[in-house]
Amino acid sequence: MEVVTEMSGNKISVLLVGIGGYGNKYVEELLYHQDRSTFEIAGVVDINPERCSYVQELKDRSIPFYTDMASFYESSRADLAIISTPIQYHSEQVCLALSQGSHVLCEKPIAATVQDAQKMMEMQKKTGKFVAVGYNLSFNAQIQELKRHIAAGLFGRPKRMKTLVLWRRGLDYFGSGWKGRKKGANGEWILDSVVHNATSHFLHNMFYLIGPRPNESAKPVEVTAELYRANDIETFDTCALKVNTDQGVDIFFYASHTILGNAGPVFTLEFEKAVITFYEGKDDNKITAVFHDGTEKVYPSTNTSALADKLRTCIAAAATGADEIPCGLEAAYPQLLCVNAVMDAIPEVPGFEPHLVHHDEDTDAIWVESLEETLWLCYDKWQLPAQAGAKWAAEAKAVDLAGYRVFKG
Ligand SMILES: NC(=O)c1ccc[n+]([C@@H]2O[C@H](COP(=O)([O-])OP(=O)(O)OC[C@H]3O[C@@H](n4cnc5c(N)ncnc54)[C@H](O)[C@@H]3O)[C@@H](O)[C@H]2O)c1
């Protein structure tokens, strides 16, 4: 029996998959902020919906709840499925939604492995529906304008770029069941890490900004990595990467969850004719390009919510059937490719020397002595920690990405 919810007409129907955690924010945005004349919520799928703060509001609106997607699709349909579940479910859930005729907005990263992502790409091509990958910056007008100007050659050829993100995460974060894990209970890859979850946005953003076309990123050809672990996890909570792209651009990325002082993202993008900088939380979050002749071009922050940007774009695209969304599977793939390759290259992540690792009572977080200073130094010098002479650094490992198609683990 077809489930009839509160609307029809030209509104698109939306299925929400995963409404606890980050999914809470999608629910809040849809219930209270997005234009309700453009969509209806056709159903919710979550194995534990009570983690969502808006369960009662959803029930009051007679929105049906399910514990798996197949049950929803047995009796209903959706123009757009929004998937905010842990990484290990993305591939299967996105493929199922596509096969049932839904467009998809899937949270970042695409999936656990490159082979998962390839399956999603095949299914996407077969069905002709879109899959948007929820990288916040890629749906934002400030970044879109900058990307357009880079592609138009305003700053000349890209030369090198770097981003640093120091975001402390406490013990409760890693205790969530899947954060910092390699595999799930049934042996499925998760591969969650500092660069495959919270800070993935900013590695992706560098590839994305210099991609030659709107829904396209630069192609990485080699990655050199140092990975470190201070928390009791299976993957890593600090990384320093150097990626070379097919356009000959060197991309440096530094991220850690095991520091005391949060900072960034901060980035510097060097082009033939200008240097572009950004420091989150400073200078009204403007992105500033300074040309070599001293002139400036400023990209003001839009001050919009990332959730609102993503939803507005995907609801409109689902309504018109447009297949051009700002960030799809292909554009999001380079981040996943690099992360899989470095994990294959460094299967056993080194820990820090125990005397450097401390627990901070106030934040209930693990932090590593001198790490913050070292990563800032590396950022300043365009180097990896081993090259910069950090005493605790392990030798960096380089991986050729040509032909890398399967994460073996
Ligand atoms: N764009 C962003 O800024 C941003 C921020 C945070 C998280 N995320 C992404 O959102 C996704 C979820 O992360 P989280 O931290 O919210 O996770 P979480 O574990 O806190 O929440 C996941 C939700 O999915 C539900 N769930 C788990 N397995 C399910 C299944 N098989 N079917 C249906 N529901 C299931 C859980 O019950 C929970 O409600 C990840 O991909 C993460 O990277 C994105």
Side-chain angles (χ1 to χ4, degrees):
M1 194 187 75
E2 187 91 355
V3 175
V4 180
T5 45
E6 64 191 66
M7 63 122 291
S8 353
N10 289 332
K11 295 176 175 180
I12 67 145
S13 51
V14 173
L15 168 65
L16 292 167
V17 186
I19 57 166
Y22 189 67
N24 258 295
K25 298 192 184 186
Y26 276 120
V27 179
E28 183 189 345
E29 179 64 34
L30 285 170
L31 288 183
Y32 300 113
H33 304 298
Q34 289 281 312
D35 176 358
R36 288 183 60 80
S37 69
T38 61
F39 70 92
E40 64 157 357
I41 302 176
V44 163
V45 175
D46 198 303
I47 52 169
N48 183 14
E50 299 306 320
R51 282 194 54 217
C52 177
S53 314
Y54 305 99
V55 167
Q56 197 51 51
E57 284 91 328
L58 291 165
K59 288 184 175 162
D60 289 347
R61 290 167 202 239
S62 306
I63 291 163
F65 280 63
Y66 304 84
T67 52
D68 64 90
M69 289 172 68
S71 304
F72 166 81
Y73 283 114
E74 265 169 31
S75 57
S76 201
R77 57 170 295 283
D79 297 306
L80 177 67
I82 300 176
I83 296 178
S84 321
T85 52
I87 300 169
Q88 62 272 33
Y89 303 114
H90 289 184
S91 180
E92 202 183 317
Q93 291 180 333
V94 167
C95 287
L96 179 60
L98 289 168
S99 73
Q100 294 295 320
S102 300
H103 297 288
V104 180
L105 165 56
C106 177
E107 261 315 313
K108 44 49 62 173
I110 302 178
T113 67
V114 285
Q115 56 268 34
D116 284 343
Q118 289 149 21
K119 276 188 217 150
M120 294 157 83
M121 288 169 180
E122 275 165 31
M123 185 58 89
Q124 195 246 314
K125 284 195 186 97
K126 205 162 123 187
T127 59
K129 301 292 173 183
F130 71 72
V131 180
V133 183
Y135 278 112
N136 299 346
L137 300 174
S138 302
F139 292 79
N140 175 271
Q142 181 190 31
I143 290 292
Q144 282 299 330
E145 191 183 11
L146 177 61
K147 181 172 165 61
R148 272 195 302 278
H149 289 170
I150 290 172
L154 189 62
F155 311 109
R157 195 176 56 78
K159 289 163 66 183
R160 57 179 187 170
M161 341 181 79
K162 58 184 177 181
T163 296
L164 173 136
V165 200
L166 304 180
W167 280 357
R168 188 182 56 243
R169 288 291 182 265
L171 295 176
D172 62 333
Y173 177 83
F174 294 104
S176 76
W178 61 277
K179 307 271 167 55
R181 292 272 171 92
K182 269 190 186 169
K183 280 188 174 179
N186 301 318
E188 69 281 15
W189 292 117
I190 301 175
L191 305 184
D192 178 79
S193 72
V194 61
V195 63
H196 208 34
N197 198 337
T199 73
S200 59
H201 296 282
F202 313 110
L203 176 61
H204 160 77
N205 189 47
M206 289 189 281
F207 297 130
Y208 184 72
L209 277 174
I210 58 168
R213 276 170 286 278
N215 179 9
E216 197 172 312
S217 293
K219 306 235 172 338
V221 293
E222 186 185 72
V223 56
T224 305
E226 293 179 32
L227 312 179
Y228 300 98
R229 173 165 46 94
N231 282 279
D232 184 16
I233 56 173
E234 295 169 354
T235 62
F236 53 97
D237 41 34
T238 293
C239 70
L241 312 179
K242 179 185 174 195
V243 187
N244 190 256
T245 75
D246 65 350
Q247 304 160 315
V249 182
D250 283 338
I251 291 182
F252 292 81
F253 182 73
Y254 311 90
S256 181
H257 286 328
T258 61
I259 41 71
L260 284 180
N262 282 334
V266 48
F267 64 66
T268 300
L269 319 174
E270 287 187 1
F271 289 77
E272 261 173 347
K273 298 183 197 164
V275 176
I276 301 174
T277 55
F278 171 80
Y279 196 142
E280 172 112 6
K282 296 197 174 173
D283 201 19
D284 297 325
N285 288 330
K286 286 175 196 147
I287 299 175
T288 306
V290 179
F291 288 86
H292 298 333
D293 67 4
T295 54
E296 280 191 8
K297 176 150 190 60
V298 171
Y299 297 83
S301 166
T302 57
N303 294 316
T304 48
S305 128
L307 266 297
D309 290 342
K310 288 189 277 190
L311 281 172
R312 211 176 27 254
T313 303
C314 291
I315 289 171
T320 57
D323 58 1
E324 195 54 46
I325 42 102
C327 180
L329 294 168
E330 305 281 346
Y333 191 77
Q335 176 275 342
L336 173 59
L337 177 65
C338 289
V339 170
N340 272 196
V342 301
M343 291 192 76
D344 257 342
I346 309 179
E348 291 306 319
V349 173
F352 292 94
E353 291 166 37
H355 70 94
L356 295 175
V357 180
H358 304 283
H359 174 252
D360 179 56
E361 298 285 336
D362 291 345
T363 55
D364 197 19
I366 300 294
W367 67 282
V368 178
E369 216 173 293
S370 81
L371 177 62
E372 219 171 299
E373 295 80 356
T374 305
L375 292 177
W376 271 114
L377 179 83
C378 290
Y379 179 81
D380 286 343
K381 293 181 149 186
W382 303 83
Q383 288 180 342
L384 298 185
Q387 191 188 2
K391 285 205 182 86
W392 42 261
E395 192 190 343
K397 293 271 167 56
V399 197
D400 180 359
L401 298 173
Y404 185 93
R405 297 279 298 163
V406 179
F407 175 76
K408 297 201 176 87

